[in-house]
Amino acid sequence: MESDPIGHNVVRFPIERRRLDLATLLSIEPDVLVADALSERYDLEFLPFDSIESGEIEARARIATFDRANPIAFERSIRRMNDQAIALAIGLCRQAREADIRAAAARRQADHARTAIPAACEGLDRLAAAAERMAAMLTLSAIAASHRARGIDAVVCWAMRGDQVATNRTVAHFG
């Protein structure tokens, strides 16, 4: 068997399956304007506008409980908190994207059935509509988790620099 110098036998994975960082999250986060349209179309509750701030508040409260006397343990704790929030958000963004792909496929199948198999059209339309609604719900959940993770990441970055962030978002350096 010959070797494959071009690399055709290499399986590549999307970046969001390898890297779990804020840049990756921002690259796959659903568009807020799309989410707004989805919430209106399916009569779903749109995410609160203060999701990032809620993540910041949550992070400040959790960081306040960590022991700052041991800088290594403190840094490890806040990094773990940040990594968990970002990993959760990336996972939800990936699920939303996959649900959207499935919903689009279901809609294409239903649209094709209108001309090819009219008797199956109604059932396929219902399945497509349910898949589209599920994709919309997952997209809204993904955006909420992404915004929460962004808030946590901001506070963790400030804490890593030794800054304390007040609830009014002013930053004071304590070094």
Side-chain angles (χ1 to χ4, degrees):
M1 179 169 187
E2 292 182 21
S3 65
D4 186 6
I6 299 173
H8 287 106
N9 62 348
V10 175
V11 177
R12 302 195 191 287
F13 292 96
I15 192 169
E16 68 267 15
R17 294 189 188 256
R18 291 179 287 163
R19 286 190 4 212
L20 300 175
D21 58 15
L22 186 63
T24 302
L25 175 59
L26 295 176
S27 73
I28 67 167
E29 177 184 74
D31 185 346
V32 174
L33 296 177
V34 170
D36 188 34
L38 289 173
S39 65
E40 285 183 28
R41 180 176 180 190
Y42 295 102
D43 196 29
L44 299 170
E45 189 173 323
F46 190 70
L47 68 147
F49 288 103
D50 62 349
S51 296
I52 293 174
E53 186 177 353
S54 295
E56 291 174 356
I57 292 167
E58 174 189 342
R60 282 193 299 274
R62 286 185 61 197
I63 288 172
T65 67
F66 296 156
D67 181 15
R68 289 181 184 260
N70 182 344
I72 294 171
F74 175 75
E75 184 176 328
R76 192 177 318 128
S77 296
I78 62 174
R79 282 185 189 273
R80 186 177 330 118
M81 175 181 63
N82 194 41
D83 291 347
Q84 289 171 347
I86 288 175
L88 173 67
I90 287 173
L92 289 173
C93 288
R94 188 172 50 240
Q95 286 177 8
R97 180 185 295 167
E98 291 166 358
D100 192 47
I101 290 168
R102 287 190 305 272
R107 178 53 58 201
R108 281 191 303 276
Q109 186 178 14
D111 290 346
H112 176 70
R114 272 190 189 60
T115 56
I117 317 165
C121 183
E122 185 178 331
L124 291 174
D125 266 338
R126 279 197 305 267
L127 289 174
E132 289 166 341
R133 183 175 176 78
M134 177 57 72
M137 290 187 306
L138 287 172
T139 297
L140 293 175
S141 294
I143 289 175
S146 180
H147 285 191
R148 175 183 168 267
R150 284 206 249 161
I152 290 170
D153 184 75
V155 172
V156 166
C157 288
W158 292 323
M160 296 287 288
R161 290 191 317 247
D163 297 337
Q164 296 291 328
V165 183
T167 55
N168 65 359
R169 292 187 169 190
T170 57
V171 178
H173 182 70
F174 295 104

